[in-house]
Tab-separated table of all heavy atoms in Angstrom:
chain	number	residue	atom	x	y	z
A	41	ASP	N	34.239	73.938	206.625
A	41	ASP	CA	33.267	74.374	205.632
A	41	ASP	C	32.999	73.254	204.625
A	41	ASP	O	33.924	72.771	203.981
A	41	ASP	CB	33.812	75.611	204.911
A	41	ASP	CG	32.820	76.191	203.938
A	41	ASP	OD1	31.622	75.882	204.055
A	41	ASP	OD2	33.241	76.991	203.078
A	42	PRO	N	31.740	72.790	204.458
A	42	PRO	CA	31.460	71.713	203.508
A	42	PRO	C	31.758	72.082	202.066
A	42	PRO	O	32.151	71.253	201.268
A	42	PRO	CB	29.967	71.419	203.697
A	42	PRO	CG	29.504	72.226	204.838
A	42	PRO	CD	30.575	73.175	205.220
A	43	ARG	N	31.607	73.375	201.737
A	43	ARG	CA	31.928	73.794	200.366
A	43	ARG	C	33.433	73.700	200.118
A	43	ARG	O	33.877	73.299	199.049
A	43	ARG	CB	31.421	75.199	200.110
A	43	ARG	CG	29.888	75.255	200.019
A	43	ARG	CD	29.427	76.656	199.896
A	43	ARG	NE	29.635	77.295	201.214
A	43	ARG	CZ	29.550	78.587	201.457
A	43	ARG	NH1	29.275	79.410	200.490
A	43	ARG	NH2	29.729	79.058	202.667
A	44	ALA	N	34.216	74.032	201.129
A	44	ALA	CA	35.666	73.918	200.988
A	44	ALA	C	36.079	72.453	200.878
A	44	ALA	O	36.968	72.102	200.109
A	44	ALA	CB	36.372	74.579	202.170
A	45	LEU	N	35.390	71.577	201.646
A	45	LEU	CA	35.667	70.143	201.530
A	45	LEU	C	35.347	69.642	200.133
A	45	LEU	O	36.125	68.882	199.532
A	45	LEU	CB	34.841	69.367	202.549
A	45	LEU	CG	35.386	69.293	203.968
A	45	LEU	CD1	34.364	68.632	204.868
A	45	LEU	CD2	36.675	68.555	203.995
A	46	ALA	N	34.208	70.045	199.598
A	46	ALA	CA	33.835	69.614	198.253
A	46	ALA	C	34.835	70.115	197.231
A	46	ALA	O	35.215	69.394	196.290
A	46	ALA	CB	32.431	70.107	197.918
A	47	ALA	N	35.325	71.338	197.390
A	47	ALA	CA	36.312	71.884	196.453
A	47	ALA	C	37.624	71.128	196.560
A	47	ALA	O	38.283	70.846	195.544
A	47	ALA	CB	36.518	73.365	196.731
A	48	LEU	N	38.022	70.764	197.775
A	48	LEU	CA	39.263	70.001	197.946
A	48	LEU	C	39.141	68.611	197.334
A	48	LEU	O	40.065	68.098	196.706
A	48	LEU	CB	39.629	69.901	199.425
A	48	LEU	CG	40.184	71.173	200.056
A	48	LEU	CD1	40.309	70.998	201.551
A	48	LEU	CD2	41.509	71.554	199.442
A	49	HIS	N	37.999	67.964	197.516
A	49	HIS	CA	37.805	66.628	196.941
A	49	HIS	C	37.735	66.688	195.419
A	49	HIS	O	38.182	65.785	194.729
A	49	HIS	CB	36.547	65.975	197.520
A	49	HIS	CG	36.727	65.471	198.908
A	49	HIS	ND1	37.543	64.407	199.226
A	49	HIS	CD2	36.219	65.901	200.099
A	49	HIS	CE1	37.517	64.201	200.521
A	49	HIS	NE2	36.727	65.091	201.082
A	50	ALA	N	37.148	67.769	194.885
A	50	ALA	CA	37.074	67.912	193.432
A	50	ALA	C	38.440	68.180	192.830
A	50	ALA	O	38.708	67.808	191.684
A	50	ALA	CB	36.102	69.033	193.073
A	51	ALA	N	39.324	68.835	193.595
A	51	ALA	CA	40.658	69.151	193.083
A	51	ALA	C	41.600	67.966	193.133
A	51	ALA	O	42.694	68.009	192.576
A	51	ALA	CB	41.247	70.307	193.886
A	52	ARG	N	41.201	66.901	193.812
A	52	ARG	CA	42.036	65.709	193.901
A	52	ARG	C	42.183	65.043	192.546
A	52	ARG	O	41.225	65.000	191.775
A	52	ARG	CB	41.352	64.711	194.823
A	52	ARG	CG	42.198	64.284	195.970
A	52	ARG	CD	41.488	63.210	196.736
A	52	ARG	NE	41.342	63.660	198.124
A	52	ARG	CZ	40.751	62.947	199.043
A	52	ARG	NH1	40.208	61.806	198.753
A	52	ARG	NH2	40.687	63.396	200.263
A	53	PRO	N	43.356	64.511	192.242
A	53	PRO	CA	43.483	63.778	190.966
A	53	PRO	C	42.621	62.518	191.001
A	53	PRO	O	42.387	61.950	192.074
A	53	PRO	CB	44.974	63.418	190.899
A	53	PRO	CG	45.464	63.522	192.293
A	53	PRO	CD	44.593	64.525	192.997
A	54	PRO	N	42.136	62.073	189.854
A	54	PRO	CA	41.276	60.890	189.849
A	54	PRO	C	42.063	59.641	190.247
A	54	PRO	O	43.271	59.549	190.047
A	54	PRO	CB	40.806	60.791	188.394
A	54	PRO	CG	41.851	61.515	187.620
A	54	PRO	CD	42.365	62.606	188.529
A	55	GLU	N	41.334	58.725	190.846
A	55	GLU	CA	41.957	57.464	191.244
A	55	GLU	C	42.354	56.673	190.003
A	55	GLU	O	41.564	56.541	189.075
A	55	GLU	CB	40.966	56.625	192.068
A	55	GLU	CG	40.649	57.218	193.423
A	55	GLU	CD	41.731	56.939	194.438
A	55	GLU	OE1	42.403	55.894	194.324
A	55	GLU	OE2	41.898	57.779	195.329
A	56	VAL	N	43.558	56.177	189.989
A	56	VAL	CA	44.030	55.363	188.886
A	56	VAL	C	43.673	53.917	189.213
A	56	VAL	O	44.066	53.396	190.250
A	56	VAL	CB	45.547	55.512	188.698
A	56	VAL	CG1	46.052	54.619	187.598
A	56	VAL	CG2	45.903	56.962	188.451
A	57	PRO	N	42.900	53.259	188.341
A	57	PRO	CA	42.530	51.869	188.663
A	57	PRO	C	43.763	50.967	188.605
A	57	PRO	O	44.609	51.083	187.717
A	57	PRO	CB	41.526	51.506	187.564
A	57	PRO	CG	41.814	52.446	186.460
A	57	PRO	CD	42.346	53.708	187.086
A	58	ARG	N	43.849	50.115	189.572
A	58	ARG	CA	44.971	49.176	189.626
A	58	ARG	C	44.646	47.955	188.787
A	58	ARG	O	43.507	47.491	188.778
A	58	ARG	CB	45.246	48.735	191.050
A	58	ARG	CG	45.773	49.829	191.905
A	58	ARG	CD	46.175	49.288	193.243
A	58	ARG	NE	46.797	50.345	194.032
A	58	ARG	CZ	47.465	50.109	195.117
A	58	ARG	NH1	47.598	48.899	195.568
A	58	ARG	NH2	48.007	51.110	195.780
A	59	PRO	N	45.647	47.426	188.081
A	59	PRO	CA	45.387	46.204	187.330
A	59	PRO	C	45.163	45.041	188.300
A	59	PRO	O	45.639	45.065	189.428
A	59	PRO	CB	46.661	45.998	186.523
A	59	PRO	CG	47.721	46.742	187.278
A	59	PRO	CD	47.014	47.893	187.948
A	60	PRO	N	44.433	44.027	187.866
A	60	PRO	CA	44.228	42.894	188.766
A	60	PRO	C	45.552	42.187	189.027
A	60	PRO	O	46.471	42.226	188.218
A	60	PRO	CB	43.278	41.986	187.961
A	60	PRO	CG	43.451	42.392	186.548
A	60	PRO	CD	43.815	43.847	186.571
A	61	PRO	N	45.679	41.551	190.189
A	61	PRO	CA	46.935	40.873	190.494
A	61	PRO	C	47.191	39.734	189.523
A	61	PRO	O	46.261	39.046	189.094
A	61	PRO	CB	46.732	40.346	191.927
A	61	PRO	CG	45.258	40.350	192.129
A	61	PRO	CD	44.692	41.415	191.246
A	62	VAL	N	48.445	39.559	189.198
A	62	VAL	CA	48.831	38.517	188.258
A	62	VAL	C	49.156	37.261	189.058
A	62	VAL	O	49.969	37.296	189.964
A	62	VAL	CB	50.050	38.960	187.426
A	62	VAL	CG1	50.471	37.866	186.489
A	62	VAL	CG2	49.733	40.235	186.667
A	63	ALA	N	48.483	36.195	188.705
A	63	ALA	CA	48.725	34.938	189.408
A	63	ALA	C	50.043	34.325	188.925
A	63	ALA	O	50.434	34.484	187.772
A	63	ALA	CB	47.576	33.955	189.147
A	64	ALA	N	50.702	33.656	189.821
A	64	ALA	CA	51.939	32.985	189.460
A	64	ALA	C	51.614	31.822	188.522
A	64	ALA	O	50.563	31.187	188.645
A	64	ALA	CB	52.645	32.464	190.710
A	65	PRO	N	52.507	31.543	187.578
A	65	PRO	CA	52.233	30.413	186.694
A	65	PRO	C	52.238	29.114	187.479
A	65	PRO	O	52.955	28.986	188.471
A	65	PRO	CB	53.374	30.461	185.682
A	65	PRO	CG	54.462	31.217	186.354
A	65	PRO	CD	53.780	32.190	187.282
A	66	PRO	N	51.440	28.148	187.059
A	66	PRO	CA	51.430	26.880	187.793
A	66	PRO	C	52.770	26.173	187.650
A	66	PRO	O	53.481	26.355	186.660
A	66	PRO	CB	50.313	26.083	187.099
A	66	PRO	CG	50.201	26.689	185.750
A	66	PRO	CD	50.559	28.140	185.894
A	67	PRO	N	53.127	25.381	188.631
A	67	PRO	CA	54.409	24.677	188.534
A	67	PRO	C	54.359	23.676	187.375
A	67	PRO	O	53.290	23.142	187.050
A	67	PRO	CB	54.536	23.953	189.884
A	67	PRO	CG	53.146	23.868	190.399
A	67	PRO	CD	52.412	25.060	189.856
A	68	PRO	N	55.498	23.439	186.745
A	68	PRO	CA	55.502	22.492	185.638
A	68	PRO	C	55.158	21.083	186.119
A	68	PRO	O	55.518	20.680	187.222
A	68	PRO	CB	56.935	22.555	185.094
A	68	PRO	CG	57.729	23.174	186.179
A	68	PRO	CD	56.804	24.012	186.993
A	69	ARG	N	54.452	20.369	185.271
A	69	ARG	CA	54.008	19.029	185.628
A	69	ARG	C	54.785	17.986	184.831
A	69	ARG	O	55.213	18.238	183.711
A	69	ARG	CB	52.525	18.876	185.332
A	69	ARG	CG	51.670	19.781	186.185
A	69	ARG	CD	50.229	19.695	185.839
A	69	ARG	NE	49.772	18.309	185.865
A	69	ARG	CZ	48.571	17.930	185.490
A	69	ARG	NH1	47.713	18.799	185.035
A	69	ARG	NH2	48.233	16.651	185.546
A	70	VAL	N	54.905	16.821	185.433
A	70	VAL	CA	55.548	15.701	184.748
A	70	VAL	C	54.584	15.218	183.660
A	70	VAL	O	53.391	15.037	183.926
A	70	VAL	CB	55.860	14.555	185.747
A	70	VAL	CG1	56.431	13.357	185.037
A	70	VAL	CG2	56.801	15.052	186.825
A	71	PRO	N	55.077	15.029	182.448
A	71	PRO	CA	54.187	14.564	181.372
A	71	PRO	C	53.537	13.227	181.728
A	71	PRO	O	54.166	12.321	182.271
A	71	PRO	CB	55.122	14.420	180.175
A	71	PRO	CG	56.283	15.293	180.476
A	71	PRO	CD	56.425	15.314	181.955
A	72	ARG	N	52.246	13.142	181.413
A	72	ARG	CA	51.504	11.919	181.751
A	72	ARG	C	52.015	10.710	180.980
A	72	ARG	O	51.928	9.580	181.471
A	72	ARG	CB	50.017	12.134	181.473
A	72	ARG	CG	49.407	13.101	182.433
A	72	ARG	CD	47.937	13.248	182.230
A	72	ARG	NE	47.441	14.235	183.188
A	72	ARG	CZ	46.227	14.681	183.193
A	72	ARG	NH1	45.359	14.260	182.301
A	72	ARG	NH2	45.853	15.564	184.075
A	73	LEU	N	52.519	10.956	179.788
A	73	LEU	CA	53.047	9.848	179.004
A	73	LEU	C	54.232	9.184	179.720
A	73	LEU	O	54.374	7.954	179.692
A	73	LEU	CB	53.464	10.354	177.619
A	73	LEU	CG	53.694	9.315	176.532
A	73	LEU	CD1	52.444	8.484	176.300
A	73	LEU	CD2	54.118	9.987	175.250
A	74	ALA	N	55.064	10.000	180.389
A	74	ALA	CA	56.187	9.439	181.145
A	74	ALA	C	55.689	8.634	182.353
A	74	ALA	O	56.252	7.585	182.678
A	74	ALA	CB	57.111	10.562	181.608
A	75	ILE	N	54.623	9.101	182.974
A	75	ILE	CA	54.074	8.384	184.139
A	75	ILE	C	53.471	7.046	183.705
A	75	ILE	O	53.706	6.003	184.332
A	75	ILE	CB	53.032	9.257	184.863
A	75	ILE	CG1	53.718	10.491	185.437
A	75	ILE	CG2	52.332	8.469	185.956
A	75	ILE	CD1	52.759	11.522	185.999
A	76	VAL	N	52.720	7.053	182.600
A	76	VAL	CA	52.116	5.813	182.099
A	76	VAL	C	53.204	4.843	181.655
A	76	VAL	O	53.128	3.630	181.913
A	76	VAL	CB	51.119	6.120	180.945
A	76	VAL	CG1	50.656	4.846	180.284
A	76	VAL	CG2	49.951	6.911	181.476
A	77	GLY	N	54.235	5.374	180.981
A	77	GLY	CA	55.358	4.514	180.567
A	77	GLY	C	56.060	3.882	181.757
A	77	GLY	O	56.453	2.714	181.704
A	78	ALA	N	56.216	4.641	182.836
A	78	ALA	CA	56.859	4.089	184.035
A	78	ALA	C	55.980	3.033	184.690
A	78	ALA	O	56.487	2.025	185.198
A	78	ALA	CB	57.150	5.213	185.024
A	79	ALA	N	54.658	3.246	184.655
A	79	ALA	CA	53.765	2.279	185.271
A	79	ALA	C	53.729	0.977	184.490
A	79	ALA	O	53.553	-0.108	185.060
A	79	ALA	CB	52.351	2.866	185.371
A	80	LEU	N	53.892	1.056	183.158
A	80	LEU	CA	53.848	-0.142	182.323
A	80	LEU	C	55.212	-0.742	182.033
A	80	LEU	O	55.297	-1.747	181.321
A	80	LEU	CB	53.148	0.188	180.991
A	80	LEU	CG	51.681	0.623	181.094
A	80	LEU	CD1	51.152	0.988	179.730
A	80	LEU	CD2	50.854	-0.474	181.719
A	81	ALA	N	56.280	-0.168	182.572
A	81	ALA	CA	57.636	-0.640	182.244
A	81	ALA	C	57.870	-2.066	182.718
A	81	ALA	O	58.587	-2.824	182.055
A	81	ALA	CB	58.677	0.296	182.856
A	82	ILE	N	57.314	-2.479	183.829
A	82	ILE	CA	57.550	-3.826	184.349
A	82	ILE	C	56.476	-4.817	183.858
A	82	ILE	O	56.817	-5.849	183.280
A	82	ILE	CB	57.620	-3.806	185.896
A	82	ILE	CG1	58.746	-2.881	186.360
A	82	ILE	CG2	57.794	-5.210	186.466
A	82	ILE	CD1	60.131	-3.313	185.997
A	83	PRO	N	55.171	-4.545	184.033
A	83	PRO	CA	54.193	-5.568	183.660
A	83	PRO	C	54.070	-5.757	182.140
A	83	PRO	O	53.904	-6.879	181.674
A	83	PRO	CB	52.879	-5.081	184.251
A	83	PRO	CG	53.075	-3.660	184.599
A	83	PRO	CD	54.535	-3.434	184.725
A	84	LEU	N	54.108	-4.679	181.373
A	84	LEU	CA	54.042	-4.758	179.909
A	84	LEU	C	55.263	-4.029	179.343
A	84	LEU	O	55.175	-2.915	178.847
A	84	LEU	CB	52.746	-4.103	179.403
A	84	LEU	CG	51.446	-4.743	179.882
A	84	LEU	CD1	50.254	-3.893	179.468
A	84	LEU	CD2	51.310	-6.135	179.325
A	85	ALA	N	56.407	-4.692	179.452
A	85	ALA	CA	57.685	-4.062	179.136
A	85	ALA	C	57.765	-3.488	177.722
A	85	ALA	O	58.240	-2.364	177.545
A	85	ALA	CB	58.825	-5.047	179.392
A	86	PRO	N	57.314	-4.176	176.676
A	86	PRO	CA	57.441	-3.574	175.342
A	86	PRO	C	56.622	-2.284	175.205
A	86	PRO	O	57.103	-1.291	174.656
A	86	PRO	CB	56.918	-4.654	174.396
A	86	PRO	CG	57.049	-5.935	175.157
A	86	PRO	CD	56.880	-5.559	176.589
A	87	LEU	N	55.392	-2.288	175.709
A	87	LEU	CA	54.556	-1.083	175.638
A	87	LEU	C	55.141	0.024	176.518
A	87	LEU	O	55.168	1.197	176.117
A	87	LEU	CB	53.138	-1.411	176.068
A	87	LEU	CG	52.115	-0.276	175.958
A	87	LEU	CD1	51.995	0.197	174.517
A	87	LEU	CD2	50.768	-0.731	176.482
A	88	GLY	N	55.618	-0.314	177.710
A	88	GLY	CA	56.260	0.662	178.601
A	88	GLY	C	57.501	1.255	177.978
A	88	GLY	O	57.769	2.446	178.121
A	89	LEU	N	58.286	0.422	177.238
A	89	LEU	CA	59.486	0.901	176.574
A	89	LEU	C	59.130	1.927	175.494
A	89	LEU	O	59.750	2.989	175.399
A	89	LEU	CB	60.271	-0.268	175.965
A	89	LEU	CG	61.515	0.099	175.151
A	89	LEU	CD1	62.539	0.748	176.055
A	89	LEU	CD2	62.077	-1.122	174.474
A	90	VAL	N	58.116	1.610	174.698
A	90	VAL	CA	57.730	2.521	173.621
A	90	VAL	C	57.203	3.840	174.198
A	90	VAL	O	57.603	4.930	173.762
A	90	VAL	CB	56.674	1.852	172.710
A	90	VAL	CG1	56.079	2.848	171.734
A	90	VAL	CG2	57.288	0.673	171.975
A	91	LEU	N	56.309	3.753	175.183
A	91	LEU	CA	55.745	4.972	175.776
A	91	LEU	C	56.815	5.813	176.459
A	91	LEU	O	56.836	7.044	176.332
A	91	LEU	CB	54.634	4.626	176.757
A	91	LEU	CG	53.351	4.054	176.148
A	91	LEU	CD1	52.359	3.708	177.247
A	91	LEU	CD2	52.735	5.015	175.165
A	92	SER	N	57.726	5.171	177.156
A	92	SER	CA	58.802	5.906	177.839
A	92	SER	C	59.754	6.539	176.843
A	92	SER	O	60.231	7.661	177.056
A	92	SER	CB	59.569	4.987	178.781
A	92	SER	OG	58.717	4.499	179.791
A	93	ALA	N	60.037	5.853	175.752
A	93	ALA	CA	60.911	6.420	174.736
A	93	ALA	C	60.261	7.633	174.064
A	93	ALA	O	60.917	8.656	173.816
A	93	ALA	CB	61.257	5.359	173.693
A	94	VAL	N	58.960	7.549	173.774
A	94	VAL	CA	58.261	8.693	173.191
A	94	VAL	C	58.239	9.861	174.179
A	94	VAL	O	58.474	11.012	173.796
A	94	VAL	CB	56.835	8.285	172.765
A	94	VAL	CG1	56.002	9.501	172.383
A	94	VAL	CG2	56.883	7.296	171.613
A	95	ALA	N	57.974	9.575	175.427
A	95	ALA	CA	57.956	10.628	176.450
A	95	ALA	C	59.320	11.271	176.590
A	95	ALA	O	59.438	12.500	176.690
A	95	ALA	CB	57.498	10.061	177.787
A	96	LEU	N	60.373	10.462	176.585
A	96	LEU	CA	61.732	10.993	176.701
A	96	LEU	C	62.074	11.878	175.504
A	96	LEU	O	62.676	12.939	175.650
A	96	LEU	CB	62.737	9.846	176.833
A	96	LEU	CG	64.199	10.246	177.037
A	96	LEU	CD1	64.353	11.073	178.291
A	96	LEU	CD2	65.078	9.011	177.077
A	97	THR	N	61.670	11.476	174.302
A	97	THR	CA	61.929	12.275	173.105
A	97	THR	C	61.205	13.621	173.207
A	97	THR	O	61.785	14.668	172.901
A	97	THR	CB	61.465	11.516	171.858
A	97	THR	OG1	62.126	10.261	171.831
A	97	THR	CG2	61.786	12.286	170.593
A	98	ARG	N	59.955	13.609	173.630
A	98	ARG	CA	59.197	14.870	173.764
A	98	ARG	C	59.802	15.773	174.826
A	98	ARG	O	59.846	16.994	174.667
A	98	ARG	CB	57.747	14.569	174.101
A	98	ARG	CG	56.971	14.019	172.940
A	98	ARG	CD	55.517	13.874	173.319
A	98	ARG	NE	54.743	13.295	172.228
A	98	ARG	CZ	53.467	13.001	172.305
A	98	ARG	NH1	52.809	13.239	173.425
A	98	ARG	NH2	52.838	12.501	171.271
A	99	ILE	N	60.264	15.181	175.919
A	99	ILE	CA	60.847	15.984	177.000
A	99	ILE	C	62.145	16.628	176.538
A	99	ILE	O	62.413	17.802	176.795
A	99	ILE	CB	61.074	15.116	178.254
A	99	ILE	CG1	59.738	14.759	178.898
A	99	ILE	CG2	61.973	15.819	179.267
A	99	ILE	CD1	59.824	13.741	179.997
A	100	LEU	N	62.985	15.870	175.822
A	100	LEU	CA	64.267	16.405	175.382
A	100	LEU	C	64.113	17.467	174.301
A	100	LEU	O	64.968	18.345	174.160
A	100	LEU	CB	65.164	15.273	174.881
A	100	LEU	CG	65.620	14.279	175.943
A	100	LEU	CD1	66.456	13.165	175.321
A	100	LEU	CD2	66.415	14.997	177.029
A	101	GLU	N	63.014	17.422	173.521
A	101	GLU	CA	62.797	18.419	172.473
A	101	GLU	C	62.133	19.687	172.999
A	101	GLU	O	62.185	20.714	172.349
A	101	GLU	CB	61.941	17.832	171.354
A	101	GLU	CG	62.665	16.799	170.527
A	101	GLU	CD	61.762	16.137	169.495
A	101	GLU	OE1	60.540	16.395	169.513
A	101	GLU	OE2	62.284	15.376	168.684
A	102	ALA	N	61.504	19.633	174.150
A	102	ALA	CA	60.761	20.779	174.686
A	102	ALA	C	61.718	21.824	175.246
A	102	ALA	O	62.742	21.498	175.840
A	102	ALA	CB	59.807	20.303	175.777
A	103	ARG	N	61.360	23.090	175.027
A	103	ARG	CA	62.097	24.217	175.608
A	103	ARG	C	61.119	25.116	176.295
A	103	ARG	O	60.181	25.570	175.653
A	103	ARG	CB	62.848	24.997	174.540
A	103	ARG	CG	63.935	24.220	173.854
A	103	ARG	CD	65.144	24.047	174.771
A	103	ARG	NE	66.190	23.319	174.053
A	103	ARG	CZ	66.565	22.098	174.359
A	103	ARG	NH1	65.990	21.472	175.348
A	103	ARG	NH2	67.527	21.508	173.696
A	104	PRO	N	61.221	25.430	177.533
A	104	PRO	CA	62.130	24.860	178.510
A	104	PRO	C	61.713	23.442	178.860
A	104	PRO	O	60.552	23.067	178.725
A	104	PRO	CB	61.951	25.775	179.724
A	104	PRO	CG	60.580	26.303	179.611
A	104	PRO	CD	60.319	26.415	178.136
A	105	ARG	N	62.663	22.687	179.276
A	105	ARG	CA	62.397	21.255	179.542
A	105	ARG	C	61.494	21.079	180.752
A	105	ARG	O	61.762	21.604	181.819
A	105	ARG	CB	63.710	20.515	179.805
A	105	ARG	CG	64.495	20.244	178.559
A	105	ARG	CD	65.624	19.291	178.851
A	105	ARG	NE	66.381	19.072	177.619
A	105	ARG	CZ	67.541	18.487	177.602
A	105	ARG	NH1	68.093	18.055	178.706
A	105	ARG	NH2	68.157	18.313	176.456
A	106	PRO	N	60.434	20.316	180.575
A	106	PRO	CA	59.584	20.026	181.737
A	106	PRO	C	60.254	18.972	182.619
A	106	PRO	O	61.162	18.260	182.166
A	106	PRO	CB	58.303	19.485	181.105
A	106	PRO	CG	58.732	18.924	179.803
A	106	PRO	CD	59.881	19.774	179.347
A	107	PRO	N	59.837	18.853	183.848
A	107	PRO	CA	60.396	17.791	184.701
A	107	PRO	C	59.924	16.431	184.186
A	107	PRO	O	58.955	16.331	183.464
A	107	PRO	CB	59.823	18.092	186.080
A	107	PRO	CG	58.582	18.858	185.810
A	107	PRO	CD	58.839	19.645	184.558
A	108	GLY	N	60.627	15.408	184.549
A	108	GLY	CA	60.232	14.062	184.158
A	108	GLY	C	61.262	13.358	183.317
A	108	GLY	O	61.063	12.208	182.907
A	109	GLU	N	62.368	14.023	183.029
A	109	GLU	CA	63.413	13.389	182.213
A	109	GLU	C	63.976	12.158	182.918
A	109	GLU	O	64.133	11.090	182.314
A	109	GLU	CB	64.525	14.404	181.938
A	109	GLU	CG	65.625	13.886	181.047
A	109	GLU	CD	66.671	14.946	180.758
A	109	GLU	OE1	66.483	16.115	181.113
A	109	GLU	OE2	67.692	14.579	180.161
A	110	ALA	N	64.240	12.269	184.205
A	110	ALA	CA	64.811	11.148	184.956
A	110	ALA	C	63.794	9.997	185.018
A	110	ALA	O	64.187	8.821	184.905
A	110	ALA	CB	65.189	11.591	186.364
A	111	LEU	N	62.512	10.312	185.185
A	111	LEU	CA	61.486	9.272	185.224
A	111	LEU	C	61.436	8.523	183.895
A	111	LEU	O	61.349	7.282	183.878
A	111	LEU	CB	60.125	9.891	185.526
A	111	LEU	CG	58.935	8.940	185.558
A	111	LEU	CD1	59.079	7.938	186.700
A	111	LEU	CD2	57.649	9.716	185.669
A	112	ALA	N	61.493	9.246	182.788
A	112	ALA	CA	61.455	8.603	181.481
A	112	ALA	C	62.688	7.727	181.248
A	112	ALA	O	62.588	6.615	180.719
A	112	ALA	CB	61.310	9.647	180.384
A	113	VAL	N	63.860	8.228	181.634
A	113	VAL	CA	65.097	7.437	181.461
A	113	VAL	C	65.035	6.173	182.312
A	113	VAL	O	65.369	5.065	181.829
A	113	VAL	CB	66.337	8.303	181.807
A	113	VAL	CG1	67.584	7.443	181.897
A	113	VAL	CG2	66.523	9.399	180.789
A	114	LEU	N	64.612	6.320	183.559
A	114	LEU	CA	64.533	5.126	184.433
A	114	LEU	C	63.471	4.142	183.934
A	114	LEU	O	63.649	2.921	184.065
A	114	LEU	CB	64.216	5.550	185.873
A	114	LEU	CG	65.359	6.256	186.593
A	114	LEU	CD1	64.919	6.723	187.965
A	114	LEU	CD2	66.575	5.347	186.717
A	115	SER	N	62.404	4.656	183.323
A	115	SER	CA	61.378	3.760	182.766
A	115	SER	C	61.920	2.982	181.576
A	115	SER	O	61.621	1.782	181.418
A	115	SER	CB	60.161	4.566	182.333
A	115	SER	OG	59.634	5.243	183.437
Side-chain angles (χ1 to χ4, degrees):
D41 185 18
R43 289 175 288 168
L45 278 173
L48 286 172
H49 285 292
R52 237 186 238 179
E55 292 280 330
V56 177
R58 292 187 175 194
V62 178
R69 295 177 53 186
V70 176
R72 290 184 181 174
L73 195 59
I75 295 172
V76 171
L80 297 177
I82 301 295
L84 299 172
L87 184 60
L89 176 64
V90 170
L91 291 178
S92 297
V94 170
L96 183 60
T97 304
R98 287 186 182 177
I99 289 171
L100 293 178
E101 289 175 353
R103 295 286 181 248
R105 284 191 181 168
E109 183 178 352
L111 178 65
V113 169
L114 289 176
S115 300

